[in-house]
Amino acid sequence: PEGDRILILEDTDGDGRSDKTIVYYQGKELISPQGICVLGNKVIVSASPNIWVFTDEDGDDKPDKQEAMFTNTGDRQHDHSAHSFVFGPDGKLYWNFGNNGHRVCDKDGNVVVDKAGNKVEDTGNPYRQGMVFRCNLDGSEFEVLAHNFRNNYEVCVDSFGNIWQSDNDDDGNKAVRINYVMEGGNYGYVDEMTGAGWQSPRTNMETTIPERHWHLNDPGVVPNVLITGAGAPSGICVYEGDLLPKPFHGNVLHCEPGQNSVRCYRMEKDGAGFKCVETVEVLKGARDNWFRPADVCVAPDGSLFVSDWYDPGVGGHAQGDTGRGRIFRVAPKGKKYDPPSVDTSTGPGAFAALQNPAQSVRYLGHVAAQQMLDRVVAATKADKLEEAIKEAFGDWDFRGDAGFARWVWLVSLTNVNDLVPETREKIDSVLFMVIHRLFDEHNSPEHMRALLSRAKRIGDLELVDWIKVLMARRSEEDVLGLCAVALRSNNEEAMPRTWVELAVQHDGKDRWYLEALGIGAANKWDACLDAWLEKVGDKWNTPAGRDIIWRSRAQKTPRLLAKIILDETIATDELPRYLRAFDFQAKGPERDAALVQIAFAGFDDAERRKLVSTEALKRLGRGFDVTKDPGAQAALGQLLDEVRGTSQFVDLVSRFHIQTRYGELLALAQQQPDGQLAVEAMQALLETSEGPRLIDKALTSGDVAGATDTAIALGGVANKEATDMLMRALVDVSRHLEIRKAAARSLAKNRRGAEDILAMVKSEMIPHEVAAGAAFTLHAAPWPEIRAEAGKLFPPPPSKNDAPLPPIAELVKRRGDAIRGKSLFANAATCAKCHKVGDEGKEVGPALSEIGDKLSLAAMYESILFPSAGIAHSYETYSLRLEDGSAVNGLLVSKTPEEIVIRGEDALSRTFKTDEVDEMKKQTISIMPADLQKLMTVEELVDVVEYMTTLRKAKGR
């Protein structure tokens, strides 16, 4: 009740266990804080919606001052909000938030405007979802480094300026990833242009869910370093000590509480990016799967500290253990904790602190050494400066390349602004030469070149000149990629020509480098593409050149994309890539002209013609009148014949108002009335002036089977017009019983219809046998009051036996039959109705292919028996009230300014225009039925859970 606490734990007798605890601070404003960063006498605590800075001014281990650095940032008590701050080698703070961060506001509540001039908020203008930030220690000079993550839990930065983090997928999709953060990058959680979710159909859609989850086939999406599968990733750091064995040195350490492990990822350069060449398990929960490592940090002696949340489950905002947590220290055998003494009052002491592997110690060394270096520069003549620096700091005993890198950063940050211009130029020149001499002495390893390419301005060189120096000395893609990224904020006149010199070195094989070029050309694409075309001339149409066109966003891009698509030497299976690129071009006459050109090109190859025409027409605005062009009209008719029976057919008929094909839409809906295509066809018909008449005619025809299928198909639409048609069919005693029962079943799928049916049954307005068609649907309704009323009017059959369920504490002790459980799980009326394992089942709730790695036995039983207790993020139920009075429940698949897509418990997606929705509310009740256990005996429930425990990564299921 008093709020969460910040604790100082101390080992006073050196036995390796904490024996002294100080409550540094406790307060009600700290509710499930997601990060803590100690920098000298300041403690930065991330406790959304606020970022607090506590300052202990008198050294008594109690804060004397508490200030908000940022406010109104993220949802309160939500692990997808603001996360930990870390101190970078450039003297700045790095941090991030997940996709519930929403925005960053200053201490006065105003939305922060970053250095690029953009508001820092998740609106798509231009940023989306989770983001990574950099700012000064006081929060100024704010930068958004990358965006479009789901829940990027913590960021870390190594001494060379490389930025790393993990990102969590929509639970159960085996798409948890490790990211190398390329500054300016879009990381593809949602569609960059529309904000549509990753499950929304798109051209050139990736073949596997982990790739599809991050839009990896889209131009403008930075690649992933590694996909780690299912999990719940959290804390991360880079190990730059020397106490642990060499394989750990300079590599990423990461906590994966969903997999009960702490891992080391060994990284190597991969062109302009990185790849993981080995994953090493550092710690693994072996006794139970309650080991939930939340964070890992490097201690001042080079050992590791790992915090363990310790809980039966993870995710969904639930916790099962509130009283226990652990902190482990990891070190070689026999290495007791012996942190070095720190004295930053002298130059050598400050230099030694700067070399320390612990962030908190490095901060002290950085601040002290920076102040000393500034004083030396201000008091020394240029020709004596290098000697004076060495004298002030003693022998430069660098602790490996990382220590050297921190010193280079420090020298490059030296303050010369207070000096007169002539002196400043001389001092700048000396500092520049100091850096270069050190650079050469260390044999220019790749990471050092990367470090130097990040320097925005060193000496008297402007950025484009500095890039030319680097290009002349080294041409590896890692350096060139960083140079390209650095151009994104450059407005020098020579910038496009410099970009071209980088672009012509793309060989068509390195996606990292291509995205670096795209980031560098952002907001300057017209000038950059013009300069590139001038340079390459007619030789642009090569694999590497087509890459540049595919990634570009210039006014000329649509015309060049059309040339590629019309080139019949390009394989048909390559075309979806270039067609998708049209979705990232500005809407206008250039884009429309290119689409018309390829839509009616008349390829001899039928497969190519169907693909290109369908995709091009889909992208033309609904205002395009095909009837004004007889050739186009004939081509469209041929295309419709070729795609009959598909979603493309429905879209084209609707988009271009082809009235002669409306009857085919109705027939399509009747063929598979419970399917996704029926929903789309019925929605398309109801949006036309002629469609409702056709549907009504089908409902009243003498064709009982056709009328029944029409009533079933209408149930997927759930708007007022469909509801009114179904109600007329329900109450019309002249209709066949099967038609009326189908109408009842369809009406029961939306709340208004369900309430009307129950009211009519109670008042005996419709026969019980007619309403019985809706009984099963009413019993499975997502609204508790509807289910309760249905239980009274349509009493459910008794369960397999009437034995009461024992408490969970007893259930977890039982062992079941996994083979029988697998069969029960696959029953269409139980788990497989909403969950997939591998390729089996329906995709409504989270996939459960590796649930045995994520949840303990207790957590599994709780998820089944009390599904609303912990709802996985992105699987919350939403309720839509439409302007016509209809109501729909389901999972939110996608929401854009134009449309909202909801997936019901039948696994069907329904699309609604945003302006037709009066209200959209997130519900606190899970879409999963709360009485699923009634379908099973106690023994069968135990069997199902036993089977679920076998669903682990190691077993491939």
Side-chain angles (χ1 to χ4, degrees):
E2 294 79 15
D4 286 346
R5 301 178 298 173
I6 303 169
L7 302 180
I8 300 173
L9 306 179
E10 188 175 352
D11 173 16
T12 62
D13 56 12
D15 67 349
R17 290 181 178 271
S18 166
D19 51 53
K20 180 181 179 182
T21 302
I22 299 172
V23 178
Y24 176 84
Y25 181 82
Q26 183 172 26
K28 294 182 178 179
E29 71 275 40
L30 299 187
I31 302 296
S32 187
Q34 299 294 306
I36 185 168
C37 174
V38 180
L39 300 177
N41 67 344
K42 295 184 183 297
V43 178
I44 305 173
V45 179
S46 306
S48 285
N50 299 311
I51 308 298
W52 296 105
V53 180
F54 297 91
T55 305
D56 175 11
E57 296 179 327
D58 55 12
D60 65 350
D61 290 335
K62 299 288 182 181
D64 303 293
K65 186 164 60 175
Q66 176 184 356
E67 301 171 290
M69 183 186 293
F70 300 109
T71 62
N72 196 26
T73 298
D75 292 340
R76 185 178 180 86
Q77 200 168 349
H78 201 299
D79 64 314
H80 288 232
S81 292
H83 296 129
S84 287
F85 282 61
V86 295
F87 181 72
D90 53 357
K92 290 181 178 282
L93 294 174
Y94 290 74
W95 61 293
N96 60 16
F97 66 39
N99 63 338
N100 271 69
H102 306 307
R103 69 193 64 83
V104 177
C105 295
D106 63 22
K107 61 183 180 181
D108 298 318
N110 303 310
V111 176
V112 170
V113 176
D114 67 7
K115 288 178 68 175
N118 302 312
K119 286 187 174 182
V120 184
E121 54 186 356
D122 170 20
T123 60
N125 188 29
Y127 307 125
R128 294 191 184 278
Q129 304 291 317
M131 305 176 205
V132 185
F133 311 116
R134 176 168 59 205
C135 62
N136 289 335
L137 296 177
D138 62 358
S140 62
E141 293 192 12
F142 200 95
E143 298 173 81
V144 175
L145 298 181
H147 71 118
N148 212 355
F149 302 94
R150 181 177 180 263
N151 189 21
N152 41 329
Y153 198 85
E154 186 180 23
V155 67
C156 64
V157 54
D158 66 22
S159 293
F160 313 109
N162 297 311
I163 305 167
W164 307 91
Q165 65 177 23
S166 60
D167 192 15
N168 196 4
D169 65 351
D170 289 331
D171 291 352
N173 287 290
K174 297 190 286 188
V176 171
R177 59 179 175 172
I178 303 298
N179 294 125
Y180 162 60
V181 178
M182 187 175 279
E183 293 186 24
N186 157 42
Y187 281 77
Y189 174 49
V190 299
D191 187 294
E192 177 191 353
M193 307 304 288
T194 67
W198 62 271
Q199 298 179 72
S200 293
R202 56 185 180 272
T203 305
N204 201 34
M205 202 164 185
E206 300 78 0
T207 54
T208 69
I209 286 179
E211 294 172 310
R212 192 180 309 155
H213 199 288
W214 306 117
H215 289 80
L216 290 180
N217 283 356
D218 282 357
V221 174
V222 180
N224 299 322
V225 171
L226 180 68
I227 296 287
T228 61
S234 57
I236 191 169
C237 71
V238 176
Y239 185 76
E240 292 181 334
D242 52 20
L243 183 66
L244 299 188
K246 256 202 176 316
F248 295 98
H249 296 190
N251 285 307
V252 175
L253 299 172
H254 180 232
C255 294
E256 179 43 273
Q259 295 286 337
N260 318 109
S261 71
V262 180
R263 299 165 177 169
C264 173
Y265 303 119
R266 287 189 54 228
M267 301 294 183
E268 287 184 1
K269 291 299 298 182
D270 181 24
F274 287 85
K275 62 182 176 183
C276 178
V277 295
E278 184 183 15
T279 299
V280 179
E281 208 86 71
V282 180
L283 292 178
K284 178 70 176 176
R287 185 174 58 189
D288 58 32
N289 61 349
W290 286 39
F291 175 50
R292 305 294 181 184
D295 201 12
V296 54
C297 293
V298 184
D301 71 336
S303 59
L304 303 179
F305 285 129
V306 176
S307 58
D308 175 17
W309 183 43
Y310 198 73
D311 202 77
V314 60
H317 305 265
Q319 66 173 336
D321 185 290
T322 60
R324 290 175 292 182
R326 303 181 287 194
I327 294 176
F328 296 108
R329 176 176 176 264
V330 182
K333 282 187 177 180
K335 295 289 185 180
K336 290 188 175 182
Y337 186 44
D338 185 22
S341 59
V342 178
D343 178 9
T344 60
S345 63
T346 68
F351 185 89
L354 185 66
Q355 302 298 304
N356 194 276
Q359 168 188 258
S360 55
V361 180
R362 287 206 300 266
Y363 166 80
L364 298 173
H366 181 101
V367 172
Q370 187 71 75
Q371 292 171 350
M372 293 177 191
L373 192 57
D374 289 345
R375 287 197 297 270
V376 170
V377 168
T380 309
K381 292 182 179 180
D383 58 351
K384 301 289 186 181
L385 182 57
E386 187 170 353
E387 182 180 338
I389 292 174
K390 288 186 176 180
E391 182 179 345
F393 291 96
D395 292 335
W396 293 350
D397 183 15
F398 297 113
R399 195 166 176 174
D401 290 335
F404 166 66
R406 290 177 218 131
W407 180 247
V408 174
W409 279 111
L410 196 72
V411 174
S412 70
L413 294 168
T414 304
N415 178 30
V416 296
N417 295 328
D418 298 333
L419 305 177
V420 297
E422 182 180 354
T423 304
R424 181 166 64 240
E425 288 181 15
K426 290 179 180 179
I427 297 294
D428 253 355
S429 179
V430 171
L431 292 173
F432 183 69
M433 292 310 300
V434 168
I435 288 174
H436 264 276
R437 191 171 297 114
L438 292 169
F439 180 63
D440 291 332
E441 287 173 2
H442 281 70
N443 300 316
S444 302
E446 287 182 2
H447 44 257
M448 296 314 306
R449 294 197 298 276
L451 165 69
L452 287 177
S453 69
R454 279 191 171 91
K456 302 300 183 186
R457 183 178 180 273
I458 297 179
D460 57 359
L461 293 178
E462 295 298 327
L463 178 63
V464 292
D465 294 326
W466 176 231
I467 287 174
K468 289 175 184 176
V469 170
L470 286 170
M471 290 172 62
R473 295 180 62 172
R474 303 287 175 183
S475 60
E476 288 87 345
E477 283 183 311
D478 60 328
V479 173
L480 299 181
L482 290 161
C483 290
V485 168
L487 289 172
R488 69 188 175 109
S489 57
N490 185 264
N491 294 312
E492 296 174 47
E493 186 178 344
M495 178 269 169
R497 295 192 298 276
T498 304
W499 182 87
V500 169
E501 294 306 313
L502 294 165
V504 295
Q505 299 190 59
H506 175 54
D507 61 5
K509 298 176 182 178
D510 185 357
R511 176 67 183 275
W512 291 100
Y513 189 52
L514 180 62
E515 289 305 326
L517 291 170
I519 291 167
N523 302 319
K524 297 176 280 286
W525 263 114
D526 286 328
C528 288
L529 192 65
D530 284 346
W532 179 75
L533 290 169
E534 182 181 345
K535 176 83 172 180
V536 300
D538 295 336
K539 297 180 180 179
W540 66 267
N541 197 1
T542 64
R546 291 193 291 272
D547 263 1
I548 300 289
I549 299 302
W550 173 78
R551 179 61 181 86
S552 64
R553 311 278 174 92
Q555 195 171 19
K556 291 180 180 176
T557 300
R559 175 171 58 84
L560 295 169
L561 286 171
K563 282 189 175 184
I564 294 170
I565 292 166
L566 293 170
D567 181 354
E568 297 198 53
T569 66
I570 305 295
T572 301
D573 60 5
E574 290 184 41
L575 297 183
R577 180 176 190 247
Y578 300 107
L579 289 161
R580 173 63 170 158
F582 273 100
D583 297 335
F584 298 86
Q585 309 306 315
K587 293 181 179 179
E590 294 84 3
R591 181 177 181 270
D592 284 352
L595 288 170
V596 170
Q597 182 185 12
I598 63 176
F600 306 116
F603 296 103
D604 293 332
D605 185 307
E607 180 186 357
R608 193 182 191 96
R609 182 178 64 250
K610 182 167 68 173
L611 168 66
V612 173
S613 296
T614 302
E615 293 292 337
L617 288 170
K618 185 166 67 175
R619 286 164 173 78
L620 279 171
R622 290 183 178 269
F624 180 75
D625 189 354
V626 72
T627 62
K628 292 183 178 178
D629 184 338
Q633 194 169 7
L636 178 58
Q638 181 182 10
L639 176 62
L640 286 169
D641 290 337
E642 292 173 345
V643 300
R644 184 183 285 115
T646 66
S647 287
Q648 290 104 320
F649 179 85
V650 176
D651 179 70
L652 291 172
V653 170
S654 173
R655 182 178 296 274
F656 297 108
H657 309 292
I658 313 300
Q659 295 185 22
T660 55
R661 303 276 186 156
Y662 288 170
E664 294 177 63
L665 286 183
L666 179 60
L668 196 59
Q670 292 171 333
Q671 285 171 15
Q672 289 185 324
D674 272 326
Q676 180 66 47
L677 208 53
V679 174
E680 296 171 11
M682 280 297 186
Q683 283 182 324
L685 278 173
L686 289 170
E687 289 173 359
T688 69
S689 57
E690 182 70 11
R693 188 190 64 79
L694 282 174
I695 296 170
D696 209 39
K697 184 178 179 182
L699 284 171
T700 57
S701 72
D703 178 6
V704 174
T708 301
D709 288 336
T710 302
I712 295 171
L714 269 177
V717 181
N719 66 15
K720 185 177 185 303
E721 198 164 15
T723 300
D724 289 346
M725 287 182 180
L726 290 167
M727 187 59 73
R728 289 196 294 271
L730 174 65
V731 300
D732 187 349
V733 295
S734 68
R735 308 277 181 106
H736 192 279
L737 178 63
E738 290 305 313
I739 300 173
R740 299 178 71 192
K741 288 170 68 175
R745 171 188 160 193
S746 289
L747 280 167
K749 290 183 176 181
N750 72 78
R751 181 163 189 149
R752 176 187 164 193
E755 290 172 342
D756 286 347
I757 289 173
L758 292 172
M760 286 190 287
V761 171
K762 284 194 284 188
S763 60
E764 299 183 350
M765 291 177 62
I766 55 174
H768 200 275
E769 63 269 23
V770 171
F776 181 81
T777 305
L778 291 168
H779 274 290
W783 308 286
E785 56 272 31
I786 297 291
R787 291 201 303 269
E789 193 65 24
K792 297 174 185 175
L793 298 175
F794 306 98
S799 61
K800 290 186 177 181
N801 60 32
D802 294 324
L805 280 174
I808 292 180
E810 181 181 330
L811 284 173
V812 296
K813 297 176 184 177
R814 298 193 181 189
R815 290 295 172 264
D817 186 320
I819 296 176
R820 284 200 309 265
K822 181 177 181 180
S823 176
L824 287 162
F825 185 100
N827 189 315
T830 55
C831 310
K833 175 184 177 182
C834 293
H835 297 282
K836 294 187 76 170
V837 170
D839 296 326
E840 302 296 325
K842 289 188 176 182
E843 193 173 357
V844 180
L848 301 181
S849 302
E850 297 178 10
I851 194 64
D853 281 327
K854 183 173 182 179
L855 296 185
S856 66
L857 276 172
M860 287 186 192
Y861 279 112
E862 183 176 24
S863 295
I864 294 172
L865 302 177
F866 307 103
S868 297
I871 304 172
H873 190 52
S874 301
Y875 290 95
E876 300 97 339
T877 303
Y878 282 80
S879 176
L880 267 61
R881 190 179 74 236
L882 308 181
E883 62 181 6
D884 61 16
S886 311
V888 181
N889 267 44
L891 303 180
L892 181 64
V893 173
S894 180
K895 180 185 178 186
T896 72
E898 289 76 33
E899 63 183 27
I900 297 171
V901 182
I902 292 289
R903 176 176 295 147
E905 59 180 20
D906 53 7
L908 299 180
S909 296
R910 295 161 177 84
T911 303
F912 302 92
K913 290 185 174 65
T914 303
D915 57 12
E916 293 177 347
V917 178
D918 274 349
E919 185 179 58
M920 175 175 167
K921 282 187 175 181
K922 184 163 67 174
Q923 305 297 307
T924 58
I925 298 174
S926 172
I927 197 171
M928 179 173 166
D931 51 3
L932 184 63
Q933 76 278 6
K934 288 185 178 179
L935 300 175
M936 297 177 277
T937 64
V938 174
E939 290 74 19
E940 288 171 336
L941 175 62
V942 172
D943 289 343
V944 167
V945 172
E946 187 72 30
Y947 165 63
M948 289 169 66
T949 65
T950 70
L951 301 178
R952 296 176 178 271
K953 186 175 183 179
K955 298 191 177 183
R957 290 288 292 172

